[in-house]
Amino acid sequence: MLAFKCIWTNEQGKNVVRVQVPPPAPVFALRVAAWQASFRRLGSAGVPAALDSCARTFYLPSMAATATPEVRPDIRREERTDSRTDLEPGYLVICWNDPVNLMDYVTHVFQVVFGWPRQKAEVHMLQVHNEGKSVLARESLEKAEFYVHQLQRYTLHATMERDQG
Amino acid sequence: MKLIRARRNQLVFDIGRREKRLLDEILGLYPLVPPAHYRLSKNVPAGQFVEHQRLLEESLAAQRQENRKNVKSLLDEPGRYQATPTGFLLKVTRPETEWLLQVLNDVRVGSWIALGSPDTEQGEKILLTEETAPQVRSMEVAGAFEAVFLDALTGRAPG
């Protein structure tokens, strides 16, 4: 990144202007030399004009040529986080108990439809059996609908309900 | 009926003549569950899901059509059953077993609905009368075949 420093000091009654240019800027260094010669010719009266020239020579062109505006996102601490439920409406895929579907059959269907291992499918099957229902998934409308279609193909009592939680 | 061979994609069952007649009869009852039985949602007012409910019904109707075709093919296909001295060998692939399960369960659930959806877990009894006997029979027979196919799929069938 290009940088320069322009200092105007008064040393022993003389106006001295120092300009520091980083080493890999030879073009600017030449301009500094020309500007210093002009300063010597005009004397202290030329200092304000010299400084102005300095700024025009180094600051403005370098800004246009090299400085790219850097936009950083505001980082601030959230006081509360939105839950997934707040962010997107979800639908629950629910399987309801009935006294007709065989337990092994229900387990098998859960495995096929959701790709679950037998153990997980059995947990949900037992939940259906013991508690009357089991929430099998929380999905978008389309996906929940898809799962309900699949479960009903196997004649399970499945519905989708909007997640109120 | 029992599983005698389970290959990677094929299951071979030994099925007696009487069992075959029963299986054919049960498969021939498909479909039994009335389309109105399928609801997409319990709590959401029907008006909100009209289009989705229609899609569900269309999807299930297409599935039934496909299953009916499969059943017909199973019943009619020569070579599907290979005669043995005691009965037949029934060869089915694993995907075929999946739709067979769907078909059998439809018959089971449909028979139960025809019986008035008795909640046997809450103590309601299924009355066996001359009128209800066919439904009770089809429900129980379909369940028995389902159990055989499930055991075969899960590798728990007695070998």
Side-chain angles (χ1 to χ4, degrees):
Chain A
M1 185 175 148
L2 178 67
F4 73 94
K5 202 171 177 184
C6 188
I7 305 162
W8 178 37
T9 55
N10 191 333
E11 285 177 4
Q12 298 168 349
K14 289 184 178 177
N15 292 323
V16 175
V17 176
R18 292 191 191 127
V19 176
Q20 295 169 355
V21 179
V27 174
F28 292 138
L30 283 174
R31 289 197 182 186
V32 168
W35 171 75
Q36 280 172 334
S38 152
F39 174 68
R40 277 195 294 275
R41 196 173 62 249
L42 291 170
S44 60
V47 167
L51 282 174
D52 183 46
S53 162
C54 170
R56 272 189 280 111
T57 304
F58 296 101
Y59 185 69
L60 297 176
S62 68
M63 277 291 282
T66 61
T68 50
E70 194 174 345
V71 180
R72 294 185 182 190
D74 285 345
I75 298 171
R76 58 195 164 89
R77 193 185 186 89
E78 291 279 350
E79 293 304 319
R80 62 180 283 274
T81 53
D82 293 331
S83 69
R84 208 174 136 213
T85 315
D86 293 336
L87 294 171
E88 57 183 64
Y91 289 84
L92 305 177
V93 178
I94 300 176
C95 187
W96 303 85
N97 188 39
D98 61 46
V100 68
N101 281 301
L102 302 173
M103 290 164 92
D104 270 354
Y105 178 77
V106 176
T107 304
H108 173 75
V109 175
F110 289 171
Q111 285 183 273
V112 171
V113 172
F114 295 100
W116 289 343
R118 184 159 185 92
Q119 204 177 3
K120 182 175 180 183
E122 270 176 348
V123 167
H124 282 277
M125 178 276 292
L126 285 172
Q127 199 176 17
V128 172
H129 184 69
N130 296 324
E131 297 170 29
K133 67 173 183 177
S134 177
V135 175
L136 306 178
R138 182 189 184 281
E139 294 291 351
S140 63
L141 176 66
E142 289 75 18
K143 235 176 166 184
E145 198 178 8
F146 169 77
Y147 282 133
V148 171
H149 284 210
Q150 293 301 308
L151 293 166
Q152 292 199 352
R153 277 181 170 202
Y154 282 89
T155 349
L156 293 195
H157 188 186
T159 62
M160 62 181 205
E161 311 300 336
R162 192 157 189 154
D163 186 3
Q164 306 291 345
Chain B
M1 179 179 173
K2 71 171 189 177
L3 178 75
I4 58 165
R5 208 161 44 236
R7 291 188 181 138
R8 190 175 171 161
N9 194 36
Q10 193 184 53
L11 302 168
V12 182
F13 295 91
D14 182 18
I15 183 169
R17 287 191 184 88
R18 193 155 172 264
E19 286 173 321
K20 181 184 177 299
R21 272 202 308 275
L22 268 176
L23 180 61
D24 290 355
E25 183 192 324
I26 292 297
L27 295 179
L29 294 173
Y30 179 82
L32 276 190
V33 175
H37 177 73
Y38 299 105
R39 307 304 309 168
L40 197 57
S41 181
K42 267 189 175 200
N43 300 330
V44 178
Q48 279 187 31
F49 275 151
V50 172
E51 185 62 14
H52 299 279
Q53 180 65 37
R54 192 182 58 77
L55 279 173
L56 172 69
E57 284 163 15
E58 280 179 11
S59 160
L60 290 171
Q63 177 67 17
R64 282 172 166 224
Q65 185 71 20
E66 183 69 24
N67 279 347
R68 247 199 307 257
K69 209 170 73 187
N70 289 335
V71 167
K72 191 168 171 5
S73 149
L74 184 83
L75 296 177
D76 298 346
E77 198 178 294
R80 171 70 74 170
Y81 291 95
Q82 189 184 325
T84 65
T86 54
F88 300 91
L89 288 182
L90 168 63
K91 293 177 185 173
V92 284
T93 63
R94 286 179 189 269
E96 283 171 342
T97 313
E98 283 300 325
W99 65 251
L100 267 171
L101 280 173
Q102 290 179 7
V103 167
L104 289 168
N105 205 54
D106 179 284
V107 173
R108 181 171 165 80
V109 174
S111 305
W112 173 73
I113 292 169
L115 287 167
S117 309
D119 194 344
T120 48
E121 287 177 0
Q122 296 299 317
E124 279 186 56
K125 297 245 185 279
I126 296 176
L127 295 175
L128 187 59
T129 64
E130 204 173 315
E131 215 172 61
T132 61
Q135 284 84 39
V136 175
R137 179 171 173 269
S138 55
M139 187 176 89
E140 295 303 335
V141 173
F145 280 119
E146 268 182 58
V148 175
F149 285 119
L150 280 169
D151 283 348
L153 279 176
T154 53
R156 288 178 304 164

